[in-house]
Amino acid sequence: MKSHTPKAAPHVTQNEALIFERSQPGRTGYSLPPLDVDETPLDELVPEEFRRDDELEGLPEVSETDVVRHFTRISTWNYSVDLGMYPLGSCTMKYNSRLNEKVARINGFANLHPLAPDAEAQGALQLLHELQEHLAEITGLPGVSLQPAAGAHGEMTGIMLIRALLDSRDGVAESNSPRRNVMLIPDSAHGTNPASANLSGFKVKTVKSTAEGLTDLEALRALCAEGDIAGLMLTNPNTLGLFERNIKEICGIIHDAGGLVYMDGANMNALVGVARPGDMGVDVIHLNLHKTFSTPHGGGGPGSGPCCCTKELEPFLPTPRVVKDVRGGDETYKLDFNRPQSIGRVKAFHGNFGMAVRALSYILTHGRDGLREATEAAVLNARYIAQGLKDDYDKPFDSPPMHEVVFTDKRQSRKGVHTLDIAKRLIDYGFHPMTIYFPLIVQGAMLIEPTESVGRGELDQFIYAMKQIAREALEDPETVLNAPHTTRIGRLDEAAAARKPVLRWKAEEQVSAA
Ligand SMILES: *Cc1c(COP(=O)(O)O)cnc(C)c1O
């Protein structure tokens, strides 16, 4: 093992050796009590042929403090929602209350066996049923399945419902009549929309946006006239952060063409408690519990993407459904598998149950007024940033944004400073970068979503940082172009990054060695 002698304490030098490099022969991190039973020979435990011959070789020999401090130091290199504002547009990186985490860890919920019979799982089934009812109320769509495990999974489930309804309505199975096969998707859509449509066997046609950033109704009508329309997948507010104010007309056009409207509800943080997709004419929607309803995300899951639909689509929802049985004065809950028109299961057991617990806890602790207030604060915060930065950055759309606002690098790029550079420089000011180069239809996009979790003080700090960067881009572009300057790993050559990241301290060592 290579020995390692840092010049000062590792958290000062920023020089963190690998846990392997910290290894010292003979060090251990545990001490077991003396054996008070007969030792079982290894052969009786694991037969020879199943044993690895590299046993323990190369594992680091370290003390408990070595391990705890090493990983604690590394943990401080991460940015997180608990550390500060996380303005990643389209992701709704809100702060999630610890209370919801605590509720999800209640033993009866956390340790319930997924195969427990209905009679022994009444509390969990009741929780799922209540959450379904709340989501139905929030979306204005009465049929709810909690099975889908992510937003994209909810999309796929939703358009499979559309497929099933159209086939049954048009009698495809009996008559061999042609299937309606075209799914219309605006060019501002999240990439998962066309992917879900394609995966579910639809042919995707793109609807363009107007200069105002909304769905082009003329283009939509023209596409509908071509026939074969199965439906439309529409995000509202759209990924430009704008409310599609013609949504009722859009739904009318699709319904008149014989299709159904799927709404991508990942942006519901702008609508909850204020407006309901069901009232706008939408037939089916998915929600991202891991954006809007308090499941922490960003680490790769688990998530939850419930699907909510009209009465007309409800028979096709995945099995089993959680239903309430009222007999005499007794209410019991059960899983109903007898759904002959169902598209079948899309996820094992009840979906990601822990996410359902968090979501219900979030909904109940906020209440109706609280949910509305969260939405209003999310929109107000985005508008405050829109207003605060409009003199420094190009804002391609005039309309006031909903929960997120898009700017571009148009002014800064004249000095050779691009969106990527601005995002990197933001790190030096202590913020996680915004979403960059999305939506794709906006050149040099910076999509900023503050969420309701930040107060005015933090918004002002963010605006200050962005204004400083705009000034630097004009007066001292090199500082922005070489950012970040305060992190352990400096600016990567993005093209070469995948091949060979450069550690700042290594680069510095090489400089001092030379
Ligand atoms: C996040 C998001 C999705 C996909 O959600 P996942 O849970 O990541 O699959 C879909 N559409 C929009 C608009 C989103 O923001």
Side-chain angles (χ1 to χ4, degrees), residues 90-91 149-153 155 189-193 235 237 239 264-267 286 288 290-291 297 303-304 438:
S90 191
C91 292
H153 197 194
E155 290 170 28
H190 198 264
T192 48
N193 288 190
T235 308
T239 55
D264 180 327
N267 290 343
H286 89 264
N288 278 50
H290 49 288
K291 288 178 181 169
H297 72 129
S304 178
F438 178 84

Side-chain angles (χ1 to χ4, degrees), residues 134 254 289 298 338 470:
H134 284 289
I254 297 299
L289 296 190
N338 186 19

Side-chain angles (χ1 to χ4, degrees), residues 319-382:
T319 45
R321 305 285 319 283
V322 181
V323 294
K324 179 150 82 169
D325 228 3
V326 185
R327 260 182 231 160
D330 276 355
E331 286 182 357
T332 52
Y333 297 86
K334 62 169 193 182
L335 295 176
D336 179 9
F337 287 86
N338 186 19
R339 318 279 304 183
Q341 289 186 289
S342 166
I343 60 167
R345 246 191 204 288
V346 299
K347 176 87 174 78
F349 303 114
H350 318 294
N352 286 328
F353 178 72
M355 313 305 122
V357 183
R358 287 169 175 84
L360 186 62
S361 174
Y362 176 85
I363 290 169
L364 294 179
T365 50
H366 277 70
R368 193 181 56 180
D369 294 344
L371 289 175
R372 188 186 175 97
E373 210 178 299
T375 299
E376 287 168 351
V379 174
L380 182 64
N381 283 353

Side-chain angles (χ1 to χ4, degrees), residues 135 144-158 262 265-266 284-291 293 295 302-308 318 346-347 351-352 355-356:
L135 297 182
V144 181
S145 170
L146 300 172
Q147 275 187 29
H153 197 194
E155 290 170 28
M156 191 191 80
T157 307
Y262 172 85
V284 51
I285 183 176
H286 89 264
L287 300 169
N288 278 50
L289 296 190
H290 49 288
K291 288 178 181 169
F293 295 97
T295 286
S304 178
C307 199
C308 310
V346 299
K347 176 87 174 78
N352 286 328
M355 313 305 122

Side-chain angles (χ1 to χ4, degrees), residues 16-284:
E16 185 67 37
L18 300 176
I19 193 78
F20 291 92
E21 294 169 335
R22 298 186 176 282
S23 181
Q24 303 262 343
R27 274 203 185 171
T28 55
Y30 59 87
S31 102
L32 297 177
L35 200 58
D36 59 359
V37 292
D38 292 337
E39 187 170 348
T40 310
L42 195 55
D43 284 338
E44 287 177 27
L45 289 172
V46 187
E48 176 93 52
E49 69 264 34
F50 295 128
R51 264 184 266 150
R52 291 167 55 157
D53 52 12
D54 59 348
E55 231 178 313
L56 288 190
E57 192 160 342
L59 281 184
E61 295 176 71
V62 282
S63 69
E64 184 174 328
T65 37
D66 288 337
V67 173
V68 169
R69 289 185 176 156
H70 172 68
F71 287 107
T72 302
R73 279 193 299 267
I74 291 178
S75 78
T76 66
W77 300 7
N78 285 338
Y79 196 85
S80 75
V81 146
D82 289 343
L83 204 63
M85 185 175 162
Y86 213 121
L88 208 51
S90 191
C91 292
T92 313
M93 299 297 284
K94 62 169 80 179
Y95 171 81
N96 301 296
S97 162
R98 290 294 178 274
L99 178 66
N100 305 335
E101 293 301 312
K102 203 171 167 187
V103 174
R105 284 162 177 73
I106 292 173
N107 258 333
F109 291 138
N111 294 335
L112 180 62
H113 196 283
L115 289 174
D118 291 357
E120 285 167 29
Q122 284 296 299
L125 293 175
Q126 181 178 355
L127 182 142
L128 293 170
H129 194 268
E130 281 189 21
L131 177 61
Q132 286 175 185
E133 299 211 312
H134 284 289
L135 297 182
E137 173 59 28
I138 286 169
T139 57
L141 291 163
V144 181
S145 170
L146 300 172
Q147 275 187 29
H153 197 194
E155 290 170 28
M156 191 191 80
T157 307
I159 58 174
M160 283 170 74
L161 301 181
I162 293 181
R163 173 83 283 153
L165 174 84
L166 292 177
D167 285 358
S168 115
R169 191 189 70 190
D170 299 344
V172 166
E174 306 90 59
S175 67
N176 254 344
S177 57
R179 276 180 147 182
R180 292 174 163 269
N181 228 9
V182 174
M183 192 58 76
L184 301 177
I185 304 182
D187 57 7
S188 66
H190 198 264
T192 48
N193 288 190
S196 300
N198 189 56
L199 196 68
S200 309
F202 292 96
K203 188 174 153 202
V204 175
K205 285 192 184 168
T206 305
V207 191
K208 68 181 172 63
S209 305
T210 61
E212 240 192 319
L214 299 176
T215 301
D216 188 325
L217 296 186
E218 287 321 307
L220 187 68
R221 282 202 185 86
L223 284 165
C224 282
E226 289 173 19
D228 271 2
I229 301 301
L232 168 75
M233 294 181 86
L234 185 78
T235 308
N236 197 18
N238 65 27
T239 55
L240 304 168
L242 305 176
F243 186 76
E244 296 277 2
R245 57 172 188 272
N246 302 315
I247 177 96
K248 280 195 163 166
E249 197 176 345
I250 291 172
C251 292
I253 294 170
I254 297 299
H255 290 150
D256 288 348
L260 280 87
V261 178
Y262 172 85
M263 185 175 128
D264 180 327
N267 290 343
M268 274 297 283
N269 216 45
L271 299 182
V272 173
V274 177
R276 309 194 312 165
D279 299 339
M280 302 173 196
V282 167
D283 298 291
V284 51

Side-chain angles (χ1 to χ4, degrees), residues 237-507:
N238 65 27
T239 55
L240 304 168
L242 305 176
F243 186 76
E244 296 277 2
R245 57 172 188 272
N246 302 315
I247 177 96
K248 280 195 163 166
E249 197 176 345
I250 291 172
C251 292
I253 294 170
I254 297 299
H255 290 150
D256 288 348
L260 280 87
V261 178
Y262 172 85
M263 185 175 128
D264 180 327
N267 290 343
M268 274 297 283
N269 216 45
L271 299 182
V272 173
V274 177
R276 309 194 312 165
D279 299 339
M280 302 173 196
V282 167
D283 298 291
V284 51
I285 183 176
H286 89 264
L287 300 169
N288 278 50
L289 296 190
H290 49 288
K291 288 178 181 169
T292 318
F293 295 97
S294 183
T295 286
H297 72 129
S304 178
C307 199
C308 310
C309 66
T310 56
K311 274 254 165 295
E312 197 191 13
L313 283 164
E314 192 170 7
F316 304 98
L317 280 171
T319 45
R321 305 285 319 283
V322 181
V323 294
K324 179 150 82 169
D325 228 3
V326 185
R327 260 182 231 160
D330 276 355
E331 286 182 357
T332 52
Y333 297 86
K334 62 169 193 182
L335 295 176
D336 179 9
F337 287 86
N338 186 19
R339 318 279 304 183
Q341 289 186 289
S342 166
I343 60 167
R345 246 191 204 288
V346 299
K347 176 87 174 78
F349 303 114
H350 318 294
N352 286 328
F353 178 72
M355 313 305 122
V357 183
R358 287 169 175 84
L360 186 62
S361 174
Y362 176 85
I363 290 169
L364 294 179
T365 50
H366 277 70
R368 193 181 56 180
D369 294 344
L371 289 175
R372 188 186 175 97
E373 210 178 299
T375 299
E376 287 168 351
V379 174
L380 182 64
N381 283 353
R383 290 188 176 179
Y384 189 75
I385 289 177
Q387 186 67 20
L389 293 179
K390 73 176 181 358
D391 295 334
D392 299 84
Y393 291 91
D394 167 62
K395 185 169 165 292
F397 305 105
D398 279 342
S399 326
M402 297 294 284
H403 65 305
E404 57 191 350
V405 54
V406 64
F407 287 100
T408 83
D409 62 356
K410 198 165 163 189
R411 293 190 204 167
Q412 290 70 32
S413 60
R414 290 187 205 122
K415 286 273 183 181
V417 172
H418 296 280
T419 288
L420 179 72
D421 309 310
I422 297 166
K424 298 277 187 203
R425 183 64 177 144
L426 202 49
I427 298 170
D428 288 333
Y429 283 94
F431 291 98
H432 191 283
M434 70 292 271
T435 292
I436 59 174
Y437 302 112
F438 178 84
L440 301 175
I441 54 166
V442 177
Q443 164 109 28
M446 292 181 271
L447 188 62
I448 301 170
E449 180 180 5
T451 81
E452 69 275 21
S453 314
V454 282
R456 182 156 171 191
E458 263 172 307
L459 291 172
D460 285 336
Q461 282 164 8
F462 179 79
I463 290 169
Y464 169 79
M466 287 294 286
K467 278 177 165 297
Q468 286 294 106
I469 297 170
R471 193 179 53 74
E472 289 167 356
L474 292 177
E475 296 170 6
D476 179 17
E478 282 306 306
T479 299
V480 186
L481 292 172
N482 294 320
H485 303 278
T486 55
T487 50
R488 283 170 175 75
I489 296 177
R491 172 77 73 109
L492 303 176
D493 172 353
E494 299 279 317
R499 281 173 275 132
K500 195 183 171 199
V502 181
L503 286 171
R504 183 181 294 288
W505 62 266
K506 284 217 165 131

